Amino acid sequence: MNTKILALLLCSSLLLTACQPKNEAEQTENPPADTANQEIKPIVKEVPQYSVEDFFETTTLLGSRIDAKGEYILVSSDASGVFNAFKYPVNGGDPIALTNSTEDSVWVVDWLNGENRFLYVSDKGGDELDHVYVQESDGSVVDLTPGDNLKASFLAFNDDKSQVYILTNERDNNLFDLYRYSTEDYSRTLIYENTENLSLDIISQDGRYLAASKSISNQKTDLYLIDLVNDDKKPKLITDAEAQVEHSALTFIPGKHKLVYAGNEDSEFYQAYTYDIVTNNTELTYPTDWDITYYYYSPQGRYIVVNTNEDAKIKVTIIDTKTRQPVDLPELPVGSIQNVNFNQDETAIAFLLNADSTPSNLYYHKLGSSSAKKLSKTLNPKMSSDELVESTVERFESFDGLSVPGLLYRPHAASADNKVPAIVLVHGGPGGQARKDYNPTIQHLVNNGYAIFDVNNRGSSGYGKTFYHLDDKKHGEDDLQDIVYAKKYLQSLDWVEQDKIAIMGGSYGGYMVMAAMAFTNEFKLGINIFGVTNWVRTLESIPPWWGSFRQALYDELGDPATDKERLTRISPLFHADKIQSPVLIVQGANDPRVLQIESDEMVENMRANEVPVEYVLFDDEGHGFTKKENRIAAQKAYINFLRKYL
C-alpha cells in the first residue's frame, strides 16, 4: 500500500469533485509556465440555463468489458437512478439492463463463462462492506462472500476464467486473505493467509506468483513476491529495504517470470520497472515525466496499455509488443480515453471517452480501422457540449512562492462588463487531484453563472513526490494558505466579483472548507460535503480494513496518541466559535470514513453560536452519493444556499 491508496482514504468515486491518486516511450513536456497573470479571453456568449434535473438527466457509465463472443460490452450505468449492470451491443442499439436494483449500486467486474453470466460487487447503503456476487444466466444471484461485517474485493481471474481470486477479511477484520474460487461450482480454497499485514495487490495469470506491498510510512512502500507453489509461501522482499521509496505492483508479464511495478526512486514521478523473478534483476522499463497510473497487458499479451497522468489529464498509449510502437488510434472528440479493454482475440477494444463538457461515452474500435463506433449518448439530449465549459489549467503563486495549479471553469457569459461570483473548489484526499473530467455538479454551477477554480493545492497527487509531501503534518496550515491564495488569484481576474467568493469541498475538501471558515475570514460562505471536523476522532475510528496503511496515514496527518495537541488545534470542531459566515453541511448517515457525528456536532455548535448553518442528511448514503435522486437533492441544496448567501 502506498500513497496511491493513501490518497483515496477520504475520497469517493462519486464525490462532487475529482479525488484520484497519483501514480512513454515518448517523453512528455514539463508543465506549462505560470499563467497567473495571463488573461483568458474566451468567446463571450449567452447559453441556456438548465435546471438541476436537466444536468442529472445525463447517464454515468463505468467499466467496458467485452464478452467472450465479442458481441456485448458490460458496464455499470445509473440510467435507472441507481447503478445497475447493463450490456451494450457492439454493433449499436439500445443497452439491455441485466440487473434492476433500486437501492444498492451494482459495480460490474467482468463477464464469466456462459451467457449473460457476470461478476459484480455491491455494498449496503454505502457502508463499504462490499460483497462479491455472481449473477447467473437465469438472473439468480450467488453471494460468493456471505457473512456479516466482512469486506471483500475481486483481485483477478486466471487465464481461462475457470478460477477467480477474491480477498476477504472474514478471518480478521484488519487483514485480507486470498481465496481461489472455482467459477463452475463456487468451491473455494484459502491459498494465502495474510498474517504479515500486507496489501495483496496482483496475482500472475497462472496463479503462481502474488505481488504484495507493505506501507512502512507515507514515503516508503516495500514490495514483496510470494511464490504460492512453495509450502511456506514466505514473502520475499524485492525492493530496497533501506530506500525511502514508494512502490506499487502493476502487472505480471504474461508467460514470463517477470513483474512490472511502479516506483519513484529515480524521479519525482512514478515510472515502470521490471523485476526478473529468476535473476532478481530490475530494470527501468518505461521512463516518464509524469506519473504512470496504469500499465497492463491485453488478454494474450500482444498489447500493453499505459496510462499517464499529465497535468490533470489522462493520456493513454497502447503499445504493440511485436513492433514496440504505439498503436494508431482513430480521430476522436476532445477528451481522455479511459477503461481500455480488449476482446479475447485482441482485434478490438472498448473504452470510455470523457471530457469536462461531455460525460463518459462508450466506444468500440476494431484495431487497424480508421474509426470508432460511439455506442452511447450519455449527455441529456436537450443539452449540447458547446453550452458547457472546458476548464483551463491555470497556475498562481502561493504565500511562499510555490506555483500551484488548478482547473478554472469560466462561465460563457462572464466578462469585465458582466462579472460573476466564484467558488474555490477543494478536492478530497488528502492527496487527491482535481482532473479534467465531466462533473455535473461543476457544470451546473458554471451554467448558473458561478466561476469554479478547482485547485490542486500542495499535497495533491500528480505533480511529483516533493509537491505531494509539502503538506505532511501541515494540514489546515500551508495547504489552507494555498486555498486562500487561490481566492486572491480569482480576485485578480477582471470578470470575477471580488467580494463574492465561496469555498466548497467534499471529504478532505470538506475539512478544508471548515478550516477556511474557522481559521480565516476570506470566504463569504462554505459548503462542506461530508468533511472531517475532528481529526482526533476520525483517526481514532478509522475502519479496521485500513490497518495495513494506518502508519502512512499517521505520517501524513499525525498520530492521535502523540499529536493530539496539533490535531485538536487544526480541527474546526474545537474552533466553531470563530466561524462567522454561513455554512451548508451535507452528510451520509452510513459514512464509515467521516462519521455522521462529525457533521452533527459541527451543526450543533454553529447553531449555538447563532451562525447560519443548513444541514442535509441522507439516511441511505455513505462516503459519496450514489443514488441519482440524492445527488439531485444535494445539488439543489448547493445552488439554493449559494443564491441565498452569495
Side-chain angles (χ1 to χ4, degrees):
M1 195 68 61
N2 57 22
T3 53
K4 292 198 294 181
I5 299 300
L6 180 61
L8 291 175
L9 294 188
L10 296 176
C11 297
S12 167
S13 60
L14 290 166
L15 297 187
L16 85 142
T17 186
C19 182
Q20 294 158 335
K22 65 180 181 179
N23 205 23
E24 312 280 23
E26 290 182 63
Q27 294 290 314
T28 59
E29 295 181 357
N30 290 326
D34 190 310
T35 60
N37 297 316
Q38 295 180 17
E39 183 181 3
I40 304 168
K41 295 183 178 179
I43 298 174
V44 176
K45 63 180 181 180
E46 295 291 338
V47 296
Q49 189 176 92
Y50 293 103
S51 69
V52 173
E53 288 83 359
D54 288 335
F55 273 90
F56 284 89
E57 274 300 305
T58 59
T59 299
T60 302
L61 300 181
L62 301 167
S64 58
R65 295 288 184 172
I66 305 174
D67 68 354
K69 294 182 179 179
E71 297 176 346
Y72 293 98
I73 302 170
L74 180 67
V75 301
S76 288
S77 166
D78 69 347
S80 66
V82 175
F83 281 93
N84 274 286
F86 284 75
K87 65 178 184 179
Y88 277 78
V90 300
N91 292 325
D94 293 334
I96 300 166
L98 299 175
T99 62
N100 58 357
S101 175
T102 59
E103 294 294 329
D104 300 315
S105 292
V106 170
W107 310 109
V108 300
V109 175
D110 202 350
W111 298 102
L112 291 171
N113 299 327
E115 192 74 23
N116 280 345
R117 187 166 168 252
F118 62 94
L119 203 69
Y120 71 90
V121 174
S122 187
D123 69 359
K124 299 297 181 184
D127 64 5
E128 299 186 16
L129 295 176
D130 302 301
H131 286 215
V132 181
Y133 300 88
V134 172
Q135 179 161 302
E136 302 284 13
S137 300
D138 62 3
S140 61
V141 174
V142 178
D143 185 351
L144 297 181
T145 54
D148 297 326
N149 299 316
L150 68 84
K151 183 177 176 67
S153 61
F154 166 82
L155 184 65
F157 288 108
N158 69 338
D159 293 350
D160 60 3
K161 291 188 177 179
S162 62
Q163 298 171 339
V164 59
Y165 301 95
I166 292 175
L167 302 171
T168 89
N169 66 347
E170 63 194 74
R171 178 182 61 84
D172 183 333
N173 279 349
N174 296 285
L175 304 167
F176 287 88
D177 298 327
L178 179 60
Y179 290 83
R180 181 179 62 229
Y181 287 72
S182 163
T183 57
E184 293 302 315
D185 61 10
Y186 309 133
S187 59
R188 71 173 190 170
T189 303
L190 174 64
I191 62 173
Y192 185 72
E193 187 172 301
N194 184 15
T195 59
E196 305 272 347
N197 198 21
L198 299 173
S199 172
L200 308 183
D201 298 329
I202 60 172
I203 192 167
S204 59
Q205 287 182 311
D206 61 5
R208 176 172 179 177
Y209 296 111
L210 176 65
S213 58
K214 188 165 190 176
S215 179
I216 308 303
S217 72
N218 74 331
Q219 299 191 53
K220 177 176 173 59
T221 308
D222 291 339
L223 278 187
Y224 291 83
L225 187 74
I226 301 161
D227 190 341
L228 296 173
V229 172
N230 291 343
D231 291 336
D232 63 3
K233 300 178 183 176
K234 184 177 180 179
K236 174 185 176 182
L237 179 65
I238 62 172
T239 52
D240 189 338
E242 303 300 323
Q244 295 295 306
V245 175
E246 296 174 287
H247 304 95
S248 61
L250 294 172
T251 189
F252 285 94
I253 299 178
K256 297 184 179 180
H257 298 282
K258 292 184 177 182
L259 167 70
V260 181
Y261 67 86
N264 59 5
E265 50 259 58
D266 302 315
S267 169
E268 280 287 316
F269 298 94
Y270 285 98
Q271 303 181 95
Y273 296 81
T274 298
Y275 170 75
D276 190 310
I277 298 171
V278 176
T279 66
N280 295 322
N281 292 329
T282 299
E283 64 178 15
L284 178 62
T285 302
Y286 202 90
T288 71
D289 287 337
W290 294 98
D291 283 329
I292 284 181
T293 53
Y294 292 101
Y295 183 108
Y296 57 94
Y297 283 83
S298 57
Q300 311 305 321
R302 169 71 184 272
Y303 300 98
I304 303 169
V305 180
V306 185
N307 285 25
T308 49
N309 175 6
E310 304 190 2
D311 210 12
K313 184 176 181 179
I314 294 300
K315 177 184 177 183
V316 169
T317 304
I318 301 176
I319 300 170
D320 187 329
T321 60
K322 290 185 177 180
T323 65
R324 306 303 301 177
Q325 296 298 313
V327 173
D328 290 330
L329 294 175
E331 186 174 343
L332 296 165
V334 172
S336 295
I337 294 174
Q338 302 171 6
N339 294 94
V340 176
N341 286 293
F342 290 77
N343 61 357
Q344 284 300 307
D345 62 8
E346 301 179 325
T347 59
I349 57 174
F351 59 88
L352 299 175
L353 185 68
N354 182 294
D356 285 334
S357 59
T358 310
S360 292
N361 276 299
L362 183 64
Y363 284 79
Y364 179 77
H365 168 61
K366 291 184 178 180
L367 296 177
S369 68
S370 60
S371 63
K373 182 177 293 184
K374 182 180 177 182
L375 301 179
S376 65
K377 295 180 180 179
T378 54
L379 185 64
N380 183 340
K382 71 185 291 184
M383 299 165 63
S384 166
S385 293
D386 292 340
E387 298 166 345
L388 306 184
V389 172
E390 285 289 326
S391 67
T392 59
V393 178
E394 305 298 330
R395 285 173 163 79
F396 62 92
E397 188 175 290
S398 191
F399 71 100
D400 57 356
L402 180 71
S403 178
V404 177
L407 301 177
L408 182 63
Y409 296 80
R410 176 175 177 169
H412 284 299
S415 69
D417 297 324
N418 183 36
K419 298 179 187 294
V420 297
I423 302 167
V424 174
L425 191 59
V426 191
H427 61 64
Q433 184 189 24
R435 290 189 187 169
K436 292 180 71 66
D437 209 357
Y438 182 78
N439 188 316
T441 291
I442 290 176
Q443 291 293 341
H444 173 253
L445 293 176
V446 176
N447 179 256
N448 277 262
Y450 297 93
I452 303 284
F453 196 25
D454 200 357
V455 182
N456 280 315
N457 52 273
R458 70 189 66 205
S460 301
S461 303
Y463 299 96
K465 59 188 177 186
T466 299
F467 191 87
Y468 181 86
H469 290 291
L470 285 177
D471 69 340
D472 287 0
K473 294 188 179 179
K474 296 179 182 178
H475 301 290
E477 298 170 326
D478 289 8
D479 55 357
L480 180 57
Q481 286 304 303
D482 290 345
I483 300 306
V484 169
Y485 274 72
K487 178 208 172 189
K488 295 180 186 296
Y489 166 74
L490 286 172
Q491 290 176 316
S492 74
L493 304 176
D494 67 3
W495 48 271
V496 170
E497 289 194 82
Q498 295 193 9
D499 61 346
K500 292 186 178 181
I501 299 178
I503 181 171
M504 180 176 185
S507 192
Y508 182 78
Y511 159 69
M512 292 287 278
V513 168
M514 297 314 303
M517 303 311 286
F519 305 133
T520 81
N521 291 312
E522 296 285 345
F523 297 94
K524 296 290 286 187
L525 64 84
I527 299 178
N528 161 21
I529 303 152
F530 42 81
V532 176
T533 62
N534 180 349
W535 279 115
V536 177
R537 178 170 49 215
T538 295
L539 292 169
E540 287 178 341
S541 61
I542 61 175
W545 54 87
W546 290 2
S548 63
F549 43 93
R550 186 189 305 267
Q551 187 57 50
L553 187 58
Y554 288 170
D555 290 338
E556 170 87 7
L557 291 159
D559 184 338
T562 58
D563 298 311
K564 187 172 183 178
E565 183 278 330
R566 180 185 169 274
L567 291 170
T568 301
R569 175 164 52 83
I570 67 168
S571 294
L573 180 65
F574 304 114
H575 307 277
D577 60 319
K578 300 175 184 176
I579 300 175
Q580 301 176 13
S581 299
V583 176
L584 168 66
I585 297 177
V586 186
Q587 176 73 41
N590 300 325
D591 193 334
R593 310 187 192 194
V594 179
L595 304 180
Q596 179 187 330
I597 193 172
E598 297 272 317
S599 295
D600 290 349
E601 290 184 349
M602 179 56 75
V603 170
E604 181 182 355
N605 287 1
M606 289 186 63
R607 286 176 176 165
N609 294 326
E610 299 183 347
V611 176
V613 58
E614 296 181 11
Y615 190 23
V616 178
L617 178 67
F618 295 109
D619 292 331
D620 55 351
E621 296 284 9
H623 199 70
F625 308 143
T626 62
K627 297 178 177 64
K628 191 173 288 191
E629 65 178 354
N630 291 340
R631 283 181 273 158
I632 291 172
Q635 189 73 18
K636 287 183 175 180
Y638 307 151
I639 193 71
N640 290 337
F641 193 75
L642 288 163
R643 288 171 176 165
K644 183 176 182 179
Y645 289 107
L646 195 64

